[in-house]
Amino acid sequence: MKKHFILLAGVAQIAALQYPQIAFAQTAPDEEAQSSSGGGFDEIVVTANKREENLNDVGLTITAIGADEIAKSRITSLEDVAAAVPGLVYSPSTANTPIFTLRGIGFNEAALAVYPAVSVYADQVPLPFPVLATHAAYDLERIEVLKGPQGTLFGQNSTGGAVNYVVAKPTRQFSAGVDLTYGRFNMVEANAFVSGPLTDTLRARVAVTNLYADDWQKSHVRDDTIGEQKYSAGRLLLDWDAAPGITLSLNVNGWIDRSDPQAQQYAIFQPQPPATQQILIDYPFVPTGDARLADWSTGKYRPRSNRDFWQTAFRADIEVAQDITITSLSSYTEFNQKQVTDGDGLELSSYDLSPNDGDIWAFNQELRIGNSGNSRFTWVLGGNYGKSSVSENQVLFYPVSAVNSPGNNNIFQSGIYTKQDMRDVAAFGNIEFALSDALTLKAGVRYTDSRRDAEICGYDAGDGRINELFTLLGNLLSGQTLAPLVDGDCYSLDPAFIPGAPFIDTLKENNVSWRVGADYKISDDVLLYANVSRGYKGGSYPTVAAATFGQLAPAVQEKLTAYEAGFKATLADRAIQLNGAAFYYDYRDKQVRGKLLDPIFNLLDVLVNVPESTVKGAEMELTLRPSSNLTFNGAVTYLDSQVDTYTGYNVLGQIQNFQGTVLPFTPKWTYSASVEYRFADAVSGGTPYIGATVSGRSGQSAVFDGGNITLSGDPANRVVDNIQNPFYVPGYATVDFRAGFDADNGFRIMGFVKNAFDKYYVTTVIPGSNTSSRYAGRPLTWGITVGYKM
């Protein structure tokens, strides 16, 4: 905690040395303003088409969250972003890697090297792997969530959509700020920024955020706690007007996270051959109803995490002719993690990862040329080059798992090492042509060529038992007498059933993403739009303990064809904003972490492609401001997803035809509503306000057919509280409150309560071989924030 405040103090000292006053943090220079008269609201500017446009003029479905809402709703994490955007689902994982699903499009795989189905950017700079976006939500102008395939302008791996964090920029006049929050679990959060001109042509901005909180989870079987949060993040921005028509920008940012991974709640026991572990049968479940109760391994296997992320991005905008600009975006990213995670929710070790380490480096370059959109014909042409490398090392520890019987010389642990090198090259173009003042036609295309080289090695973690077993299996299955495996050898059996060498493979893919559409303006205040688009997500290799090379085969790229129509309407003299859309997704080769029944190790993970599935849905968003005092926002998304063609193993190890089953993480309903009332002129010298937010969703499956799988058929199965469908996540709603005072002299104070009624809810269920656990959502939290601005 001490070094967090050292970093904060350093920025505060910079501000104090240069300027005598400090302003309130988390407030962007162009913070959404309240209209000074009447109930109208200001325009929202977005960059969905990689140029600044009024949100209501963009024929796409976009949710934009402004700086004021980010601060007042306490949006500081990926889970907070998902709660604020209907249709977006966040799920934690055993590997402590986040998983996003948008409108039913996602990938339930937690390996570091996996490309997401919902891509994340910061100022259009890619964060190509999900873990890299962990701490990006600070000192922002807004968050833009683009729904539906975004392959034309944002590239492959955005079949579900794209999230773009728009960071607050250096200002032409001095601005600085600081705020401090104290909350439940001794949570202390501090934010600060300094922004302004260094010369007539050079501007800078430095921003930091720091958070520390005590343990929030507690063991239900012993006197122990876990769940400490501790991270720092910082960002340095430089904008330089190098010459007329030339602007150069530098963004150096990073974060350090020492937070504990969330502990799981043990909820399901399923006996698997060859043995039933009595010690697991007797182990108590975590009862439902208390989010703080959990369990985890101790000593060497106690969960902990140490993560570092650093990125440098450089942007150049060069006007080469009137209204024609060349833009170059270059970025280099590094990430490192050293962590231990608990995969079973037990003090016992049925599935622990110690260590669970990894490294990422990535380079991305985009070069594009286009005009600003001030004419009837708007165009952009460009290309991308991306190169990245991801390595991951895991040691699995499972002495009480189903593969072991007491008294036998069983395998207790094994290791997995993976290294994947990715290279992507793409060219794209997008045009818009206004046939009239009302009708605009749109078309875009992108060609992508990708290559992924994989080296995967399952290895003996030190006790020699894996080497002994696979030497024996190799002798028996190959019909040869093989040299014994030794340390450094890879145990997985190749197609000739010979162990010893790593699995080495290359996946080459190419695709053409496209979009065509039309926008029709009934009036200046009403826009109709329709789009047909196709997007792809690149294939990937699994990070799994593989008995044979066959288990390491990659899932190939998936394809999504989307049909969508919608409207945006500004009504009642700008007092009402109503947006709506309906969509149909034709999903081919969806990538899934599935199961296979291995004759040696029973139920094992594998990556598979689901040949055909569909998602249908609709959504509506309403902003209502009947007066300058009162604002209401509401949004709802409806989804109907199903598998059309797929037969494979379910989480119980049974062959199943999945036709008609629901895709994971696709609740039929997700919704949010918020209201805020500002007591204008009620208090001399400032404006008090109160607000509330409701966010919820209906039930969803955490695995394929999770709503129908039951464990009631075998009396040896045990499920917490006798829940018959434990892989189904029940629906829930949470309520947040806030109240504050904005003083005219710049002082601000806000109190908040999140999950005010302490609603117990589950975010996901993690299926295992013979034990499964769940993640609970955060319990009631509260806090108070104080700040000051000029």
Side-chain angles (χ1 to χ4, degrees), residues 121-203:
Y121 296 79
D123 278 349
Q124 303 178 30
V125 174
L127 300 168
F129 303 99
V131 72
L132 303 181
T134 302
H135 298 299
Y138 68 98
D139 197 44
L140 301 177
E141 291 182 9
R142 64 187 176 275
I143 302 171
E144 301 172 0
V145 180
L146 286 62
K147 301 180 180 181
Q150 303 298 322
T152 304
L153 289 177
F154 285 87
Q156 69 169 10
N157 311 320
S158 56
T159 45
V163 178
N164 187 31
Y165 292 99
V166 181
V167 306
K169 304 301 187 297
T171 51
R172 295 185 181 274
Q173 296 181 341
F174 171 72
S175 177
V178 63
D179 68 51
L180 185 67
T181 300
Y182 178 80
R184 191 182 183 191
F185 307 116
N186 286 321
M187 185 269 287
V188 177
E189 181 185 27
N191 300 278
F193 76 87
V194 180
S195 179
L198 299 179
T199 69
D200 291 342
T201 59
L202 180 63
R203 301 171 298 281

Side-chain angles (χ1 to χ4, degrees), residues 210-253:
N210 307 266
L211 185 142
Y212 175 84
D214 289 340
D215 295 344
W216 69 276
Q217 293 183 286
K218 52 189 179 182
S219 172
H220 74 117
V221 295
R222 64 187 186 280
D223 184 16
D224 197 5
T225 60
I226 203 170
E228 180 186 55
Q229 291 181 279
K230 183 168 55 176
Y231 66 81
S232 299
R235 185 184 293 128
L236 167 65
L237 298 169
L238 294 173
D239 284 355
W240 181 32
D241 299 326
I246 300 177
T247 301
L248 306 179
S249 301
L250 178 69
N251 181 335
V252 180
N253 65 93

Side-chain angles (χ1 to χ4, degrees), residues 11-24 173-178 193-195 745 788-790:
V11 173
Q13 288 171 4
I14 293 172
L17 287 171
Q18 298 186 57
Y19 300 93
Q21 300 185 57
I22 295 213
F24 183 70
Q173 296 181 341
F174 171 72
S175 177
V178 63
F193 76 87
V194 180
S195 179
N745 65 4
Y788 184 81
K789 74 172 182 178
M790 295 181 287

